[in-house]
Amino acid sequence: MLYTAVAAGSFRRYATYRMATVAGVFTNTVFGFIVAYTYIALWDERPHLGGYDQAQAVTFVWTGQALLASVALLIGGVGELQERIRTGDIAVDLYRPADLQLWWLSADLGRAALQLLGRGVVPMAVGALFFPLALPADALTWACFLLSTTLAVVVSFALRYLVALACFWLLDGSGLAMISGLACMFFSGMVLPLRVFPGGFGELAQLLPWAAMLQVPADVLLGARTGGSLLRGLAFQAMWGVLLLAAGRLVQSAATRKVVVHGG
C-alpha cells in the first residue's frame, strides 16, 4: 500500500503542471509532423525499409512521440534523485522505513502513467487524424502494448537509477546523464527504427537494453511481434528490467555503506 500511495502521489503531483503538459503535447505533436514527413520521404525512396511499409513507419514515429515523455527517452537520469544525492538530502531518504529503489520506482511509474495519458494519447490521436496509421483493431494487441510499455518504463527507470547512483562518486552527474540520454535516443529507435540498422550492428542494437524502451513496444503495437515473437519480446524486456534493477540494488548497497555529502 505504501508504494501504491507513492505512485498515486506522484501521478497527482505531475497532474498539477497543466501548462507544462500542454506545452509538451504541442512540442511532441510538432516534432511528430516533422519526423513523419521525413519518414514518408525516406520510405518513398526505400519502400519496406526495415520490413515496415510506409504506414507502419509513420505509426512508429507517432508511437515514439507518444512514449517520449512516459518512458523518458531523452532523459539520462533521475534528476530529483541526483540532486538529493548531490546535496546530501539522500540521507533523509535512507532513514525512511521504505526501500529506496522501490520508492523511486513507484514514483516513476506514477509519473509515467500521467505522461502517457497527458502527453501520449493526444499526439497519437492527432497523428491518426492527419496520417493513415497502422493501428491495431483488436483489444488484445492494445493490452499487450500497454504491458510492453510498462516494462519499457521499468527498464528506463532501472538505467536512469544507475546513472543517478553514480552521483555518490561524482561531484556532478549531469555529463553522465547527458551521455546516457544520447545513447537512449539512438539505440532505442527514436532516431530510426533499429530494424533499419545494417548487418551485425543492427542485430547488436536490438540486443541492448535501450531496444526494450521503444523498439519492442512499437513492434508490439504494429503487429510486427505476434505469437512466440511477442512472448520473446516481452521476456526480453522483463529480463533487462530484472538485470538492471538487480545491478541498481548492488550499486545502491555499495554506495550507501558510506554516504559522502558533497560540499561539506
Side-chain angles (χ1 to χ4, degrees):
M1 293 300 294
L2 170 63
Y3 302 111
T4 302
V6 171
S10 179
F11 184 96
R12 290 192 299 270
R13 173 188 174 189
Y14 282 91
T16 60
Y17 300 107
R18 295 182 180 87
M19 290 308 299
T21 300
V22 171
V25 168
F26 177 78
T27 302
N28 288 150
T29 304
V30 170
F31 274 97
F33 274 95
I34 294 171
V35 180
Y37 281 116
T38 303
Y39 273 38
I40 288 172
L42 178 59
W43 259 260
D44 278 340
E45 295 295 325
R46 298 283 302 276
H48 302 290
L49 181 63
Y52 299 127
D53 59 30
Q54 190 176 90
Q56 288 176 313
V58 174
T59 307
F60 192 100
V61 171
W62 289 103
T63 304
Q65 294 302 316
L67 298 184
L68 180 65
S70 59
V71 185
L73 293 173
L74 300 183
I75 300 175
V78 184
E80 187 178 353
L81 176 58
Q82 290 176 235
E83 182 63 17
R84 292 185 70 81
I85 294 173
R86 189 190 67 81
T87 61
D89 291 339
I90 189 67
V92 177
D93 299 337
L94 294 173
Y95 273 111
R96 287 176 179 156
D99 182 84
L100 184 69
Q101 188 183 54
L102 287 178
W103 177 284
W104 285 99
L105 174 59
S106 300
D108 201 63
L109 288 172
R111 175 205 60 79
L114 186 279
Q115 297 289 18
L116 184 62
L117 292 173
R119 292 182 58 177
V121 174
V122 176
M124 180 67 83
V126 172
L129 287 175
F130 288 90
F131 298 92
L133 300 187
L135 295 175
D138 59 299
L140 179 60
T141 301
W142 282 104
C144 291
F145 171 68
L146 289 176
L147 174 59
S148 182
T149 299
T150 302
L151 292 172
V153 173
V154 173
V155 174
S156 171
F157 165 79
L159 268 173
R160 290 180 288 114
Y161 188 73
L162 282 168
V163 172
L165 289 179
C167 291
F168 275 105
W169 292 275
L170 302 174
L171 288 174
D172 185 358
S174 58
L176 183 60
M178 184 178 297
I179 293 172
S180 176
L182 289 172
C184 179
M185 182 175 66
F186 186 78
F187 288 109
S188 67
M190 195 67 198
V191 176
L192 274 175
L194 301 183
R195 289 170 175 258
V196 174
F197 291 5
F201 180 70
E203 294 176 4
L204 175 62
Q206 294 187 62
L207 294 176
L208 298 176
W210 295 285
M213 298 184 194
L214 175 57
Q215 184 67 53
V216 174
D219 279 344
V220 171
L221 184 66
L222 292 171
R225 284 186 176 272
T226 58
S229 178
L230 171 62
L231 293 177
R232 287 193 296 272
L234 296 175
F236 171 78
Q237 290 180 290
M239 177 200 71
W240 272 118
V242 170
L243 289 177
L244 291 170
L245 287 174
R249 180 74 60 178
L250 291 174
V251 174
Q252 173 185 310
S253 177
T256 54
R257 287 196 187 101
K258 183 179 180 182
V259 178
V260 178
V261 178
H262 293 304

